[in-house]
Amino acid sequence: RTLKPRPNPKMAASVMELLREVLVKFLMPEKCFDEFFVNFNLLDVPCLKTVLSKGLGIGIILGSVMVKLPQVFKLVGAGSAEGLSFGAVLLELLAITGTMAYSIAHSFPFSAWGEALFLMIQTVAIGFLIQHYRGSSLRGLAFLVLYFSLVAILLSPVTPLSFVAAMQATNMPAIIISRLIQVSTNYRNGHTGQLSAVTVLLLFAGSLARIFTSIQETGDSLMALTYVVSSSCNAIIAGQLLYYWNCAPPGRQKTE
């Protein structure tokens, strides 16, 4: 006769504590952990919204690590920055930097804004490549030095909070103008050049999800409205990508 192994209460408690520590740190407040795993109330609406928001935020951040890499690889592979506007990149950087600085200044959770950090790095790389492939590598290096110097000043204590808030308020016009520049460039060229469909569609999906997470995690109407505007503008560029899908630059075969 074989004896069934008895469950070890100490081990079960240890596993539960480890699970609590991980989930409370990254995904939910402690009261929601208790609702789900102690009271087994899996239909608690406020907690479900919190977990959904946190999960979306983490997913957006993980996706942002590579969201613009297809654009970078497309530029490098083509050896050309045709169809991309450096002015639009600068305005997009203004919006990304403003969001990052505003969120840090207000101590928002990293899950509410973390993608801005990775988008900033990749957008700066695209800005440099645009200058490089236009024969101005030195100007591209100067752009890198100047931008990171300004970011260091912006995040330092010498910058007043009122300036950071004003910068965040300029995000909406900056986003609108940067997207309209790209839309206008696409329209004039009659094609989208080296614009990456993968990057544009991922940015559109991410900005849509950010509307919900901004309301849920920060309660900041300015942040939420910024993402509403961003989603609308990204939708226009996504529409152009579909419209010009079979249109290639003169003398070039369009590749993804």
Side-chain angles (χ1 to χ4, degrees):
R1 184 179 177 181
T2 57
L3 295 175
K4 292 183 179 180
R6 290 185 176 181
N8 188 330
K10 289 186 177 180
M11 182 178 292
S14 298
V15 171
M16 184 62 77
E17 282 306 310
L18 179 61
L19 186 63
R20 177 190 293 272
E21 184 178 338
V22 172
L23 292 182
V24 168
K25 184 174 182 179
F26 295 107
L27 199 58
M28 64 183 70
E30 194 156 1
K31 66 176 183 178
C32 289
F33 181 90
D34 290 337
E35 283 294 330
F36 290 151
F37 296 97
V38 177
N39 301 328
F40 298 106
N41 180 15
L42 302 180
L43 299 178
D44 186 273
V45 174
C47 286
L48 285 174
K49 289 170 66 176
T50 298
V51 171
L52 177 60
S53 177
K54 285 282 188 181
L56 280 173
I58 292 170
I60 291 169
I61 292 170
L62 292 176
S64 72
V65 173
M66 60 185 75
V67 68
K68 289 199 172 189
L69 289 183
Q71 183 66 79
V72 172
F73 293 151
K74 193 168 186 181
L75 286 171
V76 173
S80 165
E82 186 174 9
L84 271 74
S85 166
F86 185 68
V89 168
L90 288 179
L91 286 169
E92 186 176 0
L93 267 179
L94 173 64
I96 292 171
T97 308
T99 296
M100 185 173 68
Y102 183 79
S103 300
I104 292 172
H106 286 78
S107 301
F108 291 153
F110 187 71
S111 59
W113 63 270
E115 79 278 6
L117 174 62
F118 301 108
L119 288 176
M120 177 263 287
I121 294 170
Q122 293 166 79
T123 305
V124 166
I126 290 169
F128 171 78
L129 288 173
I130 290 174
Q131 292 296 332
H132 173 68
Y133 288 124
R134 289 179 181 172
S136 304
S137 297
L138 191 60
R139 188 180 298 175
L141 288 172
F143 156 68
L144 292 179
V145 172
L146 179 61
Y147 174 74
F148 284 113
S149 298
L150 290 175
V151 169
I153 295 171
L154 184 63
L155 297 179
S156 72
V158 301
T159 305
L161 187 59
S162 58
F163 179 83
V164 175
M167 190 175 179
Q168 173 67 11
T170 65
N171 274 4
M172 279 178 279
I175 290 169
I176 292 170
I177 295 170
S178 71
R179 297 300 190 267
L180 287 180
I181 289 173
Q182 187 62 61
V183 167
S184 175
T185 299
N186 295 339
Y187 179 76
R188 285 198 313 270
N189 292 341
H191 58 78
T192 54
Q194 301 307 323
L195 197 63
S196 168
V198 175
T199 293
V200 170
L201 293 175
L202 286 175
L203 285 173
F204 174 53
S207 58
L208 271 180
R210 267 295 174 223
I211 298 171
F212 172 72
T213 63
S214 296
I215 294 171
Q216 183 66 28
E217 292 200 54
T218 70
D220 192 299
S221 57
L222 184 58
M223 285 272 288
L225 187 57
T226 298
Y227 285 114
V228 170
V229 171
S230 179
S231 297
S232 303
C233 294
N234 285 334
I236 296 173
I237 296 178
Q240 283 189 313
L241 274 165
L242 296 175
Y243 183 78
Y244 292 122
W245 188 259
N246 294 317
C247 301
R252 287 180 181 265
Q253 179 68 35
K254 183 172 180 177
T255 59
E256 185 54 53

